[in-house]
Amino acid sequence: MEREHAIRTATRIGGFCARHLLATLVTVMVLCVLWTVTYFALLLWAAISGGGLGSPAGYPLGLLLALVGGTVVSLMLFLPATALGEWIAKRRGLPILAQIPISIAILAALCLLVVGSALAAGIQPSFRAGAACFAVLFLTHLLPLGLYWWVAQSGPLLVSLFKQLCKLPAPRH
């Protein structure tokens, strides 16, 4: 019995890690693709308008920033928000889609913690600047959080959907 419990626990932990690793990879990949599209659109615009083309290091440095920044944000904001949202929803017996508003609320709390830390450290000059920073930080991360959540939860959602479809009675002809 203990062996079966250990196997189930290891499977759950492995599945959790795989889901969130995939979500992080997809989120970072999308960010890198967006940077690439933006860079080449700006390069094309500069060529058409006769503007300067900029530094040749701009693209690889921007790509590195997208890679590192996207990974850090995924691990520091999106992973805790979605994992806690999932845990709370499961403990409360809520449906899987109830995790979305819970994860958004947790993201808001994490963004508030980041901005509050910046205010306490004196990085933000005023409360007004901190409030604006919070709004920008929170609002700009809503869409990426949604992508992260849908990728991380796609496996459990498909399993839940399959279970629901198996419960349905066969249609009569």
Side-chain angles (χ1 to χ4, degrees), residues 62-76:
L63 200 58
L64 181 64
L65 179 66
L67 180 72
V68 172
T71 303
V72 168
V73 167
S74 290
L75 296 176
M76 300 299 287

Side-chain angles (χ1 to χ4, degrees), residues 28-113:
V28 170
M29 182 182 68
V30 166
L31 186 59
C32 289
V33 167
L34 286 173
W35 167 246
T36 300
V37 169
T38 301
Y39 179 83
F40 285 106
L42 290 171
L43 189 64
L44 181 64
W45 176 257
I48 291 171
S49 67
L53 296 179
S55 169
Y59 177 70
L61 288 176
L63 200 58
L64 181 64
L65 179 66
L67 180 72
V68 172
T71 303
V72 168
V73 167
S74 290
L75 296 176
M76 300 299 287
L77 294 177
F78 302 155
L79 172 65
T82 56
L84 282 171
E86 181 178 355
W87 182 77
I88 291 169
K90 281 185 179 180
R91 293 288 181 237
R92 300 279 183 191
L94 299 171
I96 196 165
L97 292 178
Q99 293 175 23
I100 295 171
I102 296 169
S103 295
I104 290 171
I106 294 169
L107 175 68
L110 290 171
C111 289
L112 191 60
L113 180 67

Side-chain angles (χ1 to χ4, degrees), residues 6-22 152:
I7 290 172
R8 276 195 308 267
T9 302
T11 302
R12 265 195 340 265
I13 292 170
F16 174 86
C17 291
R19 289 186 297 117
H20 287 279
L21 176 63
L22 178 64

